[in-house]
Amino acid sequence: MLSRMNVGRPIGLTRQILPLRQYHLRPCGLRPKGGPPKTCKGVRRKTTEAGEDKSGHINAGPNEGILFLDNVFPLKLRWLLHLPFINVDKSVPELLKRLNSPRIGAADPLSIIQKALPKDLPIKVTEVLPRLKEGGAFVKFSHEPHIEAKEIEGTLKTYLKENPIKPWFNPWRRVRTFLVKGRPWVEDLYRFPSSRLRVEFLPIEPGGEAAELSQETLYSIFRRYGKLADIMPQPVDSKVTPKFAFLNFRLVRHAIMAKNCMHGFVVPGSEGGGKAGTVIKLIYEQKMKAHWIRDWIVNHPRITIPLIAALLATGTAAAFDPIRTFFIKAHVTHSFHITDNKYYKWLMSQVTRANDLLSFKRQKADDAGLSVIWDERKDDIEQIQSWLMETADTFVVIQGPRGSGKKELVIDQALKDRRNTLVVDCKPIQEARGDSATIGATANQVGYKPVFSFINNISSLVDLAAQGTIGTKTGFSETLDTQLDKIFQNTATALKQIALDDRKKDDKDADIGDDEYLEAHPERRPVVVIDNFLHKSSKSSTVYDKISQWAAGLTTGNIAHVIFLTTDVSFTKSLSKALPDRVFRQITLGDCSPEVAKRFVINHLDADTSDDPPSSGNPSAPPPSAQRPDLAELDGCIETLGGRLTELEFLARRIKAGQTPAAAVHEIIDQAASEILKLYLLDTDHGGDHGGSARSWTAPQAWELVKALSTASTVRYNALLLADTFTPGGEAVLQALEQAELIAVVAANGRPHSIKPGKPVYQAAFKLLTEDHVLAARLDLAILAELTRLETRGIEKYEAELHLLAGLPRQPGELRPRVRWLLAKVQAAQAKIEGYEAEGGRLKRVLMREY
């Protein structure tokens, strides 16, 4: 009779003893006379999953046997054995007990074992050893001497077949039991059941011989425990010892039963075990090699690394693209801009009224002065606004020199009532150094967050290392073009969502598609303003190509209106690549007229006092402009400065600071002359903001233009190309100087017509530079040196031809005109060189005499 159930901890844990009902010890069908069955207490032993005394074995003495019952525990709970923070011994049985219900039979292991052993079975259960990872339990019992263990096994199997027990966790399979024939190895290692068994053939005693069992013998021994799928003997040429074979069972439970019942079984010689017999040892063999996934990944980097890169890219896009689109929409709609909040605007208006800080007054002066400019350019503003209300898949281009008010005209006037505007400044993008900085600057312009531009450098290093290792690129790193495409694609998606945000289901055109809706409602589209387009375009055109292609997609897809602001007069070359079959809508901004420029300056002077309360002593005090007698010279100053807004604003501020208009103009001219010297004439190795690392012109060529424009407002384009300093390649030099804004080329009938200074103030600065005798002598010497070099090169060419003709064996008469022509050319060039040297000597004396 069994009094207790010893449940050991699965792997290295302390044992737990659970009570179990006592079984009556008597032969089947017998009962003592005159009373209930006799009971006696079972033997309590400290048996864990590691066996008796943690030896790994269960020993059965005389009149004792061991049964193994399967389907006692769910095999799916094997993964719990990997968790170090769960006490499997306590948690799992307790959980299974709580699931016990009158509606569910055999819900916990205790009841399963109780029901599997009938009350009239003539045995005394002494120990129960659960095997959680194998889903069963060993039951050790004792029996009467005249009863054999095989009879008990047969009786129990018949009982379980007639009264099947199907636990809740496996309702389709019943509990089975077999008598343990070998010496089971009950280990608590991290080895888990498999449907494949490795059968090793060992001798009974060390040094003995073991027979290798045939497939027929193995089949006859193990078939009773379950269906065998295959038997694989050890290869003939294998030198591995001990000899072995593989048994593949159809089910894992069949392999568990065979392993626990036959491990350590001695196959006698009569059954094929050899003369002395053979001991068979059974071990679970995993069908799949351990760490095979890791090994396959490591051994196939050409496949796995690009695959991982693709998965990472897909995961990143799925996770971050919606977030980035949200931030772009917030950037365009100014959702997080506090300056657009109505409460903030009200507060700032109150602060402005109560404060007389200079910054507020200056802003008022700026607005008052610019209002004069906007009155003159009212037609341009209305033209831009009307274009934005039309459906036309083309660009709007605002071209003008720096300081002409392009950005203020578009953003502050034409788009002041537009809610959704995106301004992309190309200057920080083009001036960024390196791909990471360019990506970061582009993302910052459109509100693309989060951006991990630094990862591109790390990915490039990983890609380079992988290419040196496996011979191919992994695809981790992305080019600048790819990164920019991602940013602009997300921006286009956000802009389209913004354009469709106001669409409602009850609109009269709710049944049309999104594209048709945007085409029918151009007023709903956002406006994209691309500022400083083609800034430093000679440095690199990659960014501008990407921007123009993206803008073309926005325009042709009716997603947004696109306005380009540029100082480059050759913008059509770049934009025509993106829209080759479109005519652009263009507005060219020039300088203000003298009347508007004068009103601009006067309004700047009078803006600060326009809203001030009148003084009590003189309520009708005249404005500041009427109190300045030196403003009489303002007309002449404006004629010198021209109508460029930057110079006019500087003039107004200097006059407001107390300077006379003449002194302010003189300071502006000096500053412009210094700028010309630095950017165009002296620093030939560094182009500053206009030339990049190397200039396309020389100082003598620039000085030739300065001298020509110092005495005339315009110079004929073609006449300048005939000058010696501009041959050859004169047109490329003039285009470069136009891009650098030293000059402006005026076109007529579609061709270059004349040349004028890049800024109106430059003509006065040119005159100031030519009046400097030392500077003029120095630069004229450079021109003479360049001309001397050109003439010397021509003489060398003529002399080479004369030498060739002199080497002919005969001198035909037809060559005499050619010889005379060459000699005349040499004589004329030599005369020019002598004249240059004489002029150079005079200039050198000027340099030696003056400072």
Side-chain angles (χ1 to χ4, degrees):
M1 181 182 66
L2 176 65
S3 61
R4 296 181 183 271
M5 173 183 175
N6 301 333
V7 181
R9 191 166 182 261
I11 301 182
L13 302 177
T14 57
R15 66 183 181 85
Q16 180 184 13
I17 301 177
L18 301 177
L20 186 65
R21 68 175 177 82
Q22 297 175 348
Y23 286 96
H24 182 57
L25 302 179
R26 62 181 179 83
C28 294
L30 299 179
R31 180 181 293 272
K33 294 181 180 180
K38 294 181 180 181
T39 61
C40 65
K41 296 181 179 181
V43 179
R44 171 181 174 181
R45 298 190 179 179
K46 298 179 180 180
T47 305
T48 65
E49 277 210 351
E52 297 176 355
D53 298 328
K54 296 184 179 180
S55 62
H57 296 284
I58 304 177
N59 297 317
N63 299 326
E64 287 184 338
I66 302 173
L67 294 170
F68 184 79
L69 283 74
D70 70 349
N71 215 13
V72 176
F73 296 97
L75 283 176
K76 299 298 182 183
L77 292 180
R78 288 178 294 171
W79 61 272
L80 289 172
L81 303 178
H82 293 283
L83 303 179
F85 52 84
I86 292 182
N87 191 331
V88 183
D89 183 35
K90 295 181 180 180
S91 302
V92 177
E94 188 67 25
L95 177 63
L96 293 175
K97 283 184 179 182
R98 291 182 182 181
L99 292 174
N100 195 7
S101 171
R103 297 180 181 180
I104 304 176
D108 64 90
L110 218 58
S111 61
I112 292 174
I113 297 175
Q114 289 175 352
K115 293 183 178 182
L117 301 176
K119 298 180 180 179
D120 55 356
L121 191 67
I123 62 173
K124 179 174 69 174
V125 178
T126 56
E127 293 178 20
V128 174
L129 177 62
R131 299 289 294 168
L132 178 62
K133 68 179 180 181
E134 295 177 320
F138 287 100
V139 178
K140 185 177 180 181
F141 63 91
S142 61
H143 55 86
E144 297 294 336
H146 63 276
I147 300 177
E148 294 185 2
K150 289 186 178 181
E151 297 180 10
I152 298 174
E153 178 190 17
T155 303
L156 187 57
K157 291 173 68 174
T158 303
Y159 171 79
L160 292 176
K161 185 177 294 185
E162 295 175 353
N163 303 280
I165 301 173
K166 298 179 180 180
W168 63 272
F169 52 80
N170 193 1
W172 290 279
R173 295 194 177 276
R174 60 184 179 87
V175 175
R176 299 190 311 153
T177 184
F178 283 91
L179 185 66
V180 177
K181 295 184 177 182
R183 191 186 181 201
W185 182 26
V186 285
E187 36 77 21
D188 54 359
L189 304 173
Y190 279 97
R191 296 180 181 177
F192 297 95
S194 171
S195 61
R196 173 181 289 183
L197 291 178
R198 177 188 173 101
V199 184
E200 296 182 351
F201 311 114
L202 301 173
I204 297 179
E205 296 180 357
E209 293 184 0
E212 184 176 0
L213 303 183
S214 63
Q215 297 186 41
E216 293 85 351
T217 304
L218 292 173
Y219 182 86
S220 62
I221 295 175
F222 291 99
R223 178 58 182 86
R224 62 196 306 261
Y225 300 106
K227 181 172 179 54
L228 286 165
D230 192 12
I231 300 176
M232 296 181 294
Q234 183 179 6
V236 179
D237 56 348
S238 176
K239 308 236 183 244
V240 178
T241 56
K243 297 295 184 178
F244 63 90
F246 288 115
L247 302 178
N248 289 331
F249 284 88
R250 192 173 63 87
L251 297 177
V252 177
R253 291 190 178 275
H254 297 166
I256 292 173
M257 183 66 75
K259 189 257 184 188
N260 287 318
C261 292
M262 296 301 296
H263 182 86
F265 177 70
V266 178
V267 181
S270 58
E271 297 182 8
K275 295 181 180 180
T278 300
V279 179
I280 56 176
K281 302 288 186 179
L282 303 176
I283 303 173
Y284 293 122
E285 182 77 15
Q286 298 297 329
K287 285 187 176 181
M288 245 178 234
K289 185 181 178 182
H291 310 299
W292 69 273
I293 297 179
R294 181 193 65 189
D295 295 341
W296 190 88
I297 292 175
V298 172
N299 294 330
H300 299 79
R302 295 190 178 185
I303 300 175
T304 56
I305 294 180
L307 181 61
I308 292 173
L311 293 176
L312 287 176
T314 304
T316 303
F320 289 107
D321 278 2
I323 300 175
R324 289 163 175 164
T325 303
F326 168 78
F327 278 109
I328 293 173
K329 291 176 64 177
H331 180 77
V332 176
T333 58
H334 310 287
S335 301
F336 299 146
H337 291 194
I338 189 174
T339 55
D340 295 330
N341 187 278
K342 60 180 181 179
Y343 302 106
Y344 177 82
K345 291 181 179 179
W346 176 86
L347 178 62
M348 290 306 298
S349 65
Q350 301 303 316
V351 173
T352 304
R353 291 180 180 180
N355 233 310
D356 282 338
L357 294 177
L358 181 61
S359 61
F360 294 97
K361 290 185 178 181
R362 187 171 65 188
Q363 183 66 34
K364 178 185 290 292
D366 293 343
D367 295 341
L370 289 174
S371 63
V372 180
I373 309 298
W374 306 144
D375 291 340
E376 184 187 23
R377 297 176 176 176
K378 184 177 179 180
D379 295 339
D380 294 336
I381 297 172
E382 293 178 351
Q383 181 66 68
I384 295 173
Q385 291 175 343
S386 64
W387 283 341
L388 298 179
M389 299 299 294
E390 299 175 2
T391 300
D393 49 354
T394 187
F395 300 141
V396 176
V397 183
I398 312 298
Q399 190 274 329
R402 288 192 302 171
S404 57
K406 299 183 295 298
K407 187 174 182 180
E408 293 79 3
L409 174 72
V410 173
I411 297 177
D412 297 338
Q413 298 301 313
L415 300 179
K416 63 180 180 180
D417 297 328
R418 302 283 297 205
R419 186 177 59 180
N420 302 322
T421 58
L422 173 63
V423 180
V424 179
D425 192 355
C426 300
K427 184 176 181 180
I429 300 175
Q430 186 69 3
E431 292 181 350
R433 297 185 177 180
D435 291 351
S436 297
T438 303
I439 294 168
T442 307
N444 186 52
Q445 289 299 316
V446 300
Y448 182 87
K449 302 175 183 177
V451 57
F452 310 108
S453 56
F454 65 93
I455 295 182
N456 197 46
N457 293 335
I458 301 175
S459 301
S460 299
L461 295 177
V462 173
D463 209 359
L464 183 62
Q467 185 176 6
T469 304
I470 64 178
T472 58
K473 290 187 176 181
T474 61
F476 275 124
S477 62
E478 295 180 335
T479 61
L480 176 62
D481 293 351
T482 305
Q483 294 279 8
L484 293 179
D485 287 340
K486 283 185 177 181
I487 294 175
F488 291 138
Q489 183 179 1
N490 277 51
T491 306
T493 302
L495 291 173
K496 187 172 184 179
Q497 293 178 6
I498 292 171
L500 297 173
D501 280 345
D502 295 335
R503 189 179 186 185
K504 299 179 181 179
K505 295 182 178 179
D506 54 351
D507 290 341
K508 60 181 181 180
D509 50 1
D511 55 338
I512 64 176
D514 292 341
D515 296 336
E516 292 80 2
Y517 176 83
L518 293 176
E519 186 177 2
H521 296 275
E523 72 281 358
R524 300 289 179 86
R525 305 177 203 165
V527 179
V528 178
V529 180
I530 300 176
D531 192 15
N532 289 315
F533 185 67
L534 297 180
H535 171 75
K536 286 188 179 180
S537 57
S538 59
K539 181 180 178 182
S540 175
S541 61
T542 302
V543 173
Y544 295 121
D545 291 342
K546 288 295 178 183
I547 291 177
S548 58
Q549 291 173 6
W550 169 62
L554 296 179
T555 303
T556 56
N558 295 320
I559 297 175
H561 301 285
V562 181
I563 301 176
F564 286 92
L565 309 180
T566 180
T567 60
D568 197 324
V569 296
S570 60
F571 62 88
T572 54
K573 296 180 181 179
S574 178
L575 295 181
S576 297
K577 297 178 182 178
L579 289 178
D581 55 347
R582 299 291 191 276
V583 177
F584 307 131
R585 293 176 169 179
Q586 178 183 353
I587 293 178
T588 303
L589 298 182
D591 298 327
C592 302
S593 63
E595 295 79 9
V596 174
K598 184 176 180 179
R599 289 171 52 198
F600 176 83
V601 176
I602 292 175
N603 284 356
H604 257 275
L605 297 176
D606 297 341
D608 292 340
T609 59
S610 59
D611 290 339
D612 292 344
S615 60
S616 59
N618 188 9
S620 59
S625 60
Q627 302 176 12
R628 296 286 299 269
D630 55 0
L631 291 184
E633 58 188 18
L634 189 60
D635 292 335
C637 295
I638 290 178
E639 184 180 356
T640 302
L641 288 182
R644 192 65 54 89
L645 291 181
T646 51
E647 280 76 17
L648 292 175
E649 185 177 3
F650 183 77
L651 174 63
R653 290 180 181 177
R654 299 311 300 171
I655 294 175
K656 188 185 298 184
Q659 283 186 333
T660 63
V665 169
H666 183 69
E667 184 177 348
I668 294 174
I669 293 174
D670 287 342
Q671 184 176 354
S674 300
E675 179 182 348
I676 294 170
L677 278 174
K678 180 181 179 181
L679 298 180
Y680 307 102
L681 299 177
L682 297 182
D683 289 338
T684 57
D685 294 334
H686 300 87
D689 293 339
H690 299 286
S693 59
R695 288 174 173 173
S696 300
W697 68 88
T698 62
Q701 291 171 333
W703 179 245
E704 188 76 24
L705 280 169
V706 169
K707 290 197 304 180
L709 292 172
S710 64
T711 57
S713 59
T714 59
V715 176
R716 287 187 293 273
Y717 183 88
N718 294 315
L720 190 64
L721 291 179
L722 297 177
D724 292 336
T725 52
F726 286 91
T727 54
E731 286 193 310
V733 172
L734 294 178
Q735 289 178 2
L737 288 171
E738 183 185 19
Q739 293 292 334
E741 299 184 2
L742 177 67
I743 60 173
V745 177
V746 180
N749 298 325
R751 64 174 180 83
H753 174 267
S754 58
I755 297 174
K756 66 179 183 177
K759 295 181 180 179
V761 72
Y762 274 2
Q763 186 170 10
F766 292 162
K767 185 176 181 181
L768 180 64
L769 291 173
T770 56
E771 291 175 352
D772 187 347
H773 299 296
V774 175
L775 177 65
R778 176 184 171 183
L779 294 174
D780 285 342
L781 272 176
I783 292 179
L784 293 176
E786 180 69 18
L787 294 176
T788 302
R789 184 180 62 83
L790 293 175
E791 296 297 336
T792 303
R793 186 184 301 172
I795 291 176
E796 292 176 353
K797 182 176 65 174
Y798 303 145
E799 289 177 345
E801 187 174 353
L802 287 172
H803 181 73
L804 178 63
L805 294 177
L808 295 176
R810 296 179 58 187
Q811 298 292 332
E814 292 81 1
L815 290 178
R816 291 177 182 176
R818 180 66 178 176
V819 172
R820 286 195 296 268
W821 181 86
L822 292 173
L823 292 174
K825 285 291 185 180
V826 172
Q827 183 181 7
Q830 181 60 28
K832 288 183 180 180
I833 292 175
E834 292 176 358
Y836 296 155
E837 289 180 351
E839 180 68 17
R842 185 186 66 81
L843 296 175
K844 289 179 182 178
R845 286 193 296 271
V846 172
L847 294 177
M848 295 176 64
R849 184 175 62 248
E850 299 182 13
Y851 290 97

